[in-house]
Amino acid sequence: MHISANTKDQVLLLIEQSKNDYRKQLGGKGGCLHADPVSLSIAFGMNKISIELTYSEVTSRWQFPFHRLICKLRLNGAAISLKQLKEELNND
C-alpha cells in the first residue's frame, strides 16, 4: 500500500497506527492468530519510507504462546531504526 504524508508527525502517526492495527490481528497471549506480512510505503517529500510488518512466534517462560511484532523500517532503501528515523525527520 502506498501512502503520502505531508508532515513528519503524520509519518510517525501512520507508522504507529500500522503497528497497532497489525498487532490487533495477532490476537492476545494464549490466543494467537495468524496475520500475513504487511508492506507499506510512505512518500514524504523526496523521501520514501518502507515499512514491513511481520511477527515471530514466541513462548513465554510461563509457557504462554504469543506473537512478537517485528517492524522493519527503510528510508530510501537503507535500513533505519525508529529512533534514527525520528532524528532524520527532525533534521528536515
Side-chain angles (χ1 to χ4, degrees):
M1 177 186 298
H2 300 287
I3 305 167
S4 181
N6 297 321
T7 66
K8 60 185 174 188
D9 292 331
Q10 190 177 17
V11 169
L12 298 174
L13 181 65
L14 287 168
I15 292 170
E16 288 305 314
Q17 283 178 339
S18 299
K19 287 169 52 175
N20 288 336
D21 291 346
Y22 191 77
R23 193 174 281 120
K24 288 176 187 174
Q25 293 178 24
L26 296 176
K29 290 182 182 177
C32 301
L33 303 173
H34 170 74
D36 292 327
V38 173
S39 295
L40 304 169
S41 178
I42 301 173
F44 178 64
M46 299 298 290
N47 297 312
K48 179 184 173 188
I49 302 163
S50 301
I51 306 166
E52 294 177 32
L53 299 171
T54 59
Y55 67 91
S56 63
E57 295 179 11
V58 180
T59 303
S60 72
R61 58 183 162 167
W62 298 283
Q63 301 304 310
F64 282 107
F66 67 97
H67 292 151
R68 177 170 287 144
L69 174 70
I70 299 171
C71 178
K72 296 180 182 178
L73 297 172
R74 294 189 171 279
L75 178 63
N76 299 324
I80 191 167
S81 70
L82 185 58
K83 181 179 178 180
Q84 292 170 324
L85 179 62
K86 287 178 182 179
E87 290 172 1
E88 255 328 289
L89 293 176
N90 284 330
N91 290 337
D92 286 348

